[in-house]
Amino acid sequence: MPNRENAIDGLYAQYPGTPVVVDRVRNIGSLALSRAKLAGMPRAHLPGLAAHGASKLFAGDAKTDERGAMVIAKTALGIPDALLAVADRPPEIEAARSLAAQRDFLTRENARSKNRLRSILLEPCPEFEAQADLSDPATLELMAAVGGPWSISEASSQAVGTLTRGCRRGERLARELP
């Protein structure tokens, strides 16, 4: 079944009052839960560890959507104590959670990008890499002046020396580069 409002609403209309159980409250499960709430249907969540443990009780080990749905349905019917109720959180809490998740993502991506740049710089110019402050816009401007980190190994020794001195002094020396 497609994860679309009309398809979900049509299914819920066929089975009013049936509990809606998902294994993920956010992402893929959020639309099903929000439509169930609008339809006045009971909502529950099967936590990941419980779903994983329950999946071992059934034949097969392939991880498919169909098998996952079967495990959730049979667990919900046979072991209802494994389910957690889905709490309605105030919109402010959900907004804060969403912003915190985005901040965490951006922080990880920023660290990943800096680590990658340091890796690129380390091979051709270890002295510059050791002194480079990748959060300093002036340092990034200096690197851009020689064509970016990939071009540092091709830059003249005078240009790399200028970069290194500029990095030490924290000055903008991009215009001194050849």
Side-chain angles (χ1 to χ4, degrees):
M1 175 172 105
N3 195 16
R4 304 283 182 265
E5 288 181 8
N6 291 340
I8 293 170
D9 291 344
L11 179 67
Y12 292 173
Q14 291 176 12
Y15 304 99
T18 302
V20 174
V21 181
V22 297
D23 60 342
R24 296 186 184 226
V25 177
R26 293 185 181 85
N27 301 325
I28 193 123
S30 64
L31 182 60
L33 291 174
S34 67
R35 301 313 291 177
K37 180 181 178 182
L38 288 173
M41 300 173 82
R43 300 166 294 143
H45 168 237
L46 180 63
L49 286 176
H52 179 70
S55 71
K56 294 178 181 179
L57 299 173
F58 300 100
D61 59 358
K63 189 172 181 177
T64 65
D65 290 342
E66 293 82 9
R67 186 169 189 279
M70 182 271 305
V71 168
I72 293 168
K74 287 188 175 185
T75 304
L77 291 171
I79 314 171
D81 291 342
L83 304 177
L84 300 176
V86 175
D88 289 324
R89 294 191 178 105
E92 298 83 11
I93 298 296
E94 284 301 313
R97 186 210 59 80
S98 184
L99 286 173
Q102 182 64 15
R103 189 196 76 206
D104 289 347
F105 169 76
L106 292 174
T107 301
R108 282 190 307 274
E109 284 299 303
N110 188 33
R112 187 183 67 76
S113 295
K114 284 182 180 179
N115 289 340
R116 176 71 179 128
L117 184 54
R118 286 206 174 278
S119 173
I120 293 168
L121 290 172
L122 185 59
E123 190 173 321
C125 191
E127 183 180 350
F128 177 70
E129 184 278 330
Q131 297 173 29
D133 177 5
L134 300 178
S135 61
D136 178 23
T139 300
L140 299 176
E141 186 178 317
L142 289 169
M143 288 190 334
V146 294
W150 292 272
S151 299
I152 286 181
S153 62
E154 299 169 8
S156 68
S157 58
Q158 177 187 3
V160 172
T162 302
L163 275 173
T164 304
R165 285 191 309 278
C167 202
R168 278 192 201 125
R169 294 192 315 249
E171 297 174 3
R172 295 174 165 238
L173 299 174
R175 63 184 166 277
E176 294 180 23
L177 295 171

